[in-house]
Amino acid sequence: MSERNPDIAYPGPGSRPFRRDLDPITPHVIVLFGCTGDLAKRKLIPGLAYLAVSELAPTIRIVGTAMEDLTTEDFRALAHDAVQNFGMHRLAESDWDDFAARLTYVPQGEGPEALASAVKEAAAGLSNGDDPAGTATFDRGVRLLHYLSVPPKAAEAVVGMLRDADLVTGSRVVMEKPFGYDLPSAVRLNDFVHQVFDESQVFRIDHFLGKEAAQNVLAFRFANGLFEPIWNRNFIDHVQIDVPEELGLDQRASFYEATGAYKDMVVTHLMQVMAFVAMEPPTALEPRAISEEKNKVFRSLLPIHASDVVRGQYGGYREEPGVARDSDTETFIALRVGLDNWRWAGVPFYLRTGKRLAEGQRIISIAFKEAPRTMFPPGSGVGTQGPDHLTFDLADSSRVSLSFYGKRPGPGMRLQKLSMQFSTQETGEASDVLEAYERLILDAMRGDHTLFTTAEGIESLWDRSMPLLNDPPPVKPYPPGTWGPNAVHQLIAPNAWRLPFERAWREKKD
């Protein structure tokens, strides 16, 4: 074996990377703010229930709090409905009884003293009931994780409540999107949070990055010698990140009216996914190195102007309960963005998302530059079905597809588009897939920031967004059940949107 080159900066033999290995996690008290909200019912409570019974998480107690004047029994009934109606994993009644015993509720209106008392009581329960040896105490062996499932306008009040309740030291706090509404509000919120919590304690969550498929982008790029050499402007023509939704407001009019598609989805989800696609190879697969490479992408993002954006609003939106009759809020947005760096100079990234569209999909599509066609005779079919694509499906059943031209069987040289596909459902580990929130809550318990957003990163994105936010183009109407305003085709021309697919995903056969 050859000696290492002394001129190359390899890690030192005794160096300690900035990461936490998968050591056992200490018992946790999880304080769930906004525990009666839609996100808590659909994702957080079912995810916590699965973690609690699956032995993936440590022994936990959950203190739920919200503005409603409920009892603990009311909260347990709400949680039971959430787990059984929305959870990916249904619980047996014996498992449910064990999980229900871990739930406590305290109304937020009772103030910081009541919250502190409930948390200490839950921690004492970890010491006495769940830890027969009695080694876990509130100040030794039990950690606090606060989950803020609240809108940005309520975040400061919750952080202040945690400060007043003396529940900050040694704790961690998960903050939901959107983190602010523009650059000034994000800076103000970061400054306020940093008065109470150190940045190392803060976890700004984006559930898209917790998806198996999003992380597979990193594995696909950096673990395979086949693709990383061509992952640049010399071989890639453009990139699409497309997240249409069939759903409408789903009783979230007050939130959506103040937010819109750009603030709700683009800054907090699509651009985070874009960073995984565009980032340079990190020095190690550890939180600080990955965060730095993501932040480099955000710093290289060119300012976003109205001329590169199409905003839309579905027909009937202004008649929805809670929506202003003259609302200018966009329920659809498509934009063309660029990165001013060596790898991606001149390569457009097209992002699209919206409500009440034709299909619900979540894809990343990499379009490669087309090869010269001069050697193929006219009528051969080459070039008629667009460029070759590498497509990642971000659904819970992670899938990857590579399309390419191949010869159609028979006489002559006739070409057609073919594809190679992979799905996690075709592997023996399909049952090991974690729902995104389950994975991210586990990471927050470990203190692993790999899949979370930093203060610098979110402020960079809002900074690049200010030209658009200060001078947005008018919203264009589109009928529900379509793919948005017709102007989206001019935005991407001479290319075409990957969705709707011309070929269906191959489904697993029994």
Side-chain angles (χ1 to χ4, degrees), residues 443-500:
D443 284 353
M445 288 184 187
R446 291 193 183 97
D448 187 339
H449 281 84
T450 303
L451 301 176
F452 295 86
T453 306
T454 66
E456 178 192 344
I458 197 67
E459 289 179 13
S460 292
L461 289 176
W462 284 124
D463 179 54
R464 274 57 172 183
S465 302
M466 291 310 295
L468 172 64
L469 299 181
N470 289 332
D471 183 28
V475 293
K476 298 177 182 293
Y478 65 94
T482 65
W483 289 97
N486 288 332
V488 297
H489 302 297
Q490 285 76 53
L491 178 72
I492 201 172
N495 301 306
W497 290 100
R498 188 87 167 98
L499 288 174

Side-chain angles (χ1 to χ4, degrees), residues 134-381:
T135 57
T137 63
F138 187 58
D139 59 353
R140 185 184 66 190
V142 176
R143 294 211 62 143
L144 269 175
L145 178 69
H146 307 297
Y147 198 115
L148 274 58
S149 181
V150 299
K153 62 184 179 182
E156 288 191 20
V158 172
V159 170
M161 186 176 185
L162 291 173
R163 176 197 59 207
D164 297 341
D166 195 22
L167 296 175
V168 173
T169 302
S171 69
R172 299 181 178 118
V173 56
V174 179
M175 304 193 70
E176 265 293 339
K177 57 91 176 176
F179 197 89
Y181 291 112
D182 53 17
L183 180 59
S185 64
V187 170
R188 184 171 61 250
L189 182 54
N190 272 326
D191 288 346
F192 182 82
V193 170
H194 289 156
Q195 292 174 20
V196 180
F197 291 95
D198 184 79
E199 176 67 13
S200 64
Q201 295 175 271
V202 183
F203 294 76
R204 298 169 190 80
I205 194 169
D206 168 24
H207 73 272
F208 271 48
L209 297 189
K211 292 180 176 293
E212 197 78 31
Q215 295 172 75
N216 209 20
V217 174
L218 296 182
F220 201 90
R221 283 189 60 187
F222 301 131
N224 298 292
L226 178 61
F227 288 100
E228 180 56 24
I230 60 172
W231 208 267
N232 55 58
R233 58 185 164 80
N234 296 320
F235 298 95
I236 291 178
D237 183 78
H238 66 275
V239 177
Q240 295 181 35
I241 300 174
D242 209 352
V243 186
E245 297 181 280
E246 287 184 289
L247 295 175
L249 297 188
D250 198 23
Q251 300 181 340
R252 298 168 70 224
S254 60
F255 167 81
Y256 208 80
E257 268 288 87
T259 309
Y262 185 80
K263 297 174 183 178
D264 182 38
M265 292 290 293
V266 176
V267 173
T268 51
H269 292 325
L270 274 64
M271 286 185 176
Q272 303 297 329
V273 172
M274 181 184 73
F276 268 20
V277 174
M279 64 190 281
E280 295 297 321
T283 55
L285 199 64
E286 51 92 1
R288 196 175 76 163
I290 291 177
S291 292
E292 175 56 21
E293 296 306 332
K294 286 174 57 185
N295 287 343
K296 287 179 183 177
V297 174
F298 300 147
R299 290 195 294 267
S300 69
L301 181 66
L302 292 169
I304 300 166
H305 296 280
S307 57
D308 294 319
V309 176
V310 174
R311 295 170 71 235
Q313 189 182 88
Y314 67 77
Y317 172 77
R318 295 178 181 179
E319 283 70 54
E320 299 270 13
V323 173
R325 295 298 174 258
D326 59 349
S327 174
D328 188 51
T329 300
E330 79 278 356
T331 62
F332 170 96
I333 193 158
L335 57 157
R336 176 177 56 235
V337 301
L339 300 177
D340 188 18
N341 61 29
W342 186 265
R343 183 183 290 262
W344 297 109
V347 177
F349 285 72
Y350 298 101
L351 315 181
R352 178 174 66 170
T353 187
K355 299 286 188 184
R356 301 290 301 274
L357 296 179
E359 294 179 25
Q361 294 276 358
R362 297 173 177 181
I363 71 156
I364 305 168
S365 191
I366 316 295
F368 293 97
K369 291 186 176 180
E370 297 191 61
R373 307 169 188 167
T374 52
M375 65 174 284
F376 294 96
S380 64

Side-chain angles (χ1 to χ4, degrees), residues 63-85:
V63 177
T65 182
M67 299 307 296
E68 289 83 352
D69 189 15
L70 304 178
T71 65
T72 291
E73 289 306 315
D74 294 334
F75 178 47
R76 289 173 178 172
L78 179 151
H80 183 271
D81 290 343
V83 171
Q84 302 302 69
N85 292 329

